Amino acid sequence: MRVAAHVPDLMDRSRLRSTKAEVVLVADPAELVGLEVDLVVVDLSRPGVLDVLGDVGARTVGFAAHVDEELMATASAAGCDEVLARSVFFRRFPDFVS
């Protein structure tokens, strides 16, 4: 499975790379638009992410702090297919890419 991700935090990046999935990391969320991938992963708290969610064109899973319910609701409304608390996302990530 091919995955594109806008996840700037280095610790989070290492957790994404610990699976067998091919993860392409992008520095700017706008780079996610039009990529031919199976899954797009985004840290919803990063600037510019909400602006591109509706244009990505692939299944999108985003994560945010569990207390940031407003951001999570906004991401869902903007087109994010699945929105999860950060801890839940990283626990389930291996299932997404298997």
Side-chain angles (χ1 to χ4, degrees):
M1 174 176 275
R2 192 173 147 113
V3 179
H6 177 66
V7 180
D9 183 271
L10 293 176
M11 292 297 290
D12 291 343
R13 286 179 174 198
S14 68
R15 293 176 79 179
L16 294 178
R17 288 185 171 153
S18 68
T19 66
K20 293 181 180 179
E22 177 188 344
V23 179
V24 175
L25 299 166
V26 300
D28 183 341
E31 295 176 62
L32 297 168
V33 176
L35 288 179
E36 293 186 25
V37 295
D38 302 302
L39 177 68
V40 169
V41 172
V42 290
D43 180 341
L44 296 169
S45 68
R46 300 302 177 150
V49 169
L50 295 176
D51 299 331
V52 302
L53 287 175
D55 300 324
V56 169
R59 180 170 178 238
T60 306
V61 178
F63 64 88
H66 71 280
V67 296
D68 206 341
E69 294 174 7
E70 184 177 336
L71 174 61
M72 293 166 72
T74 301
S76 289
C80 193
D81 295 308
E82 192 162 354
V83 177
L84 301 167
R86 185 182 179 283
S87 60
V88 174
F89 168 77
F90 282 105
R91 189 169 49 247
R92 289 187 51 201
F93 182 67
D95 297 331
F96 288 125
V97 296
S98 62

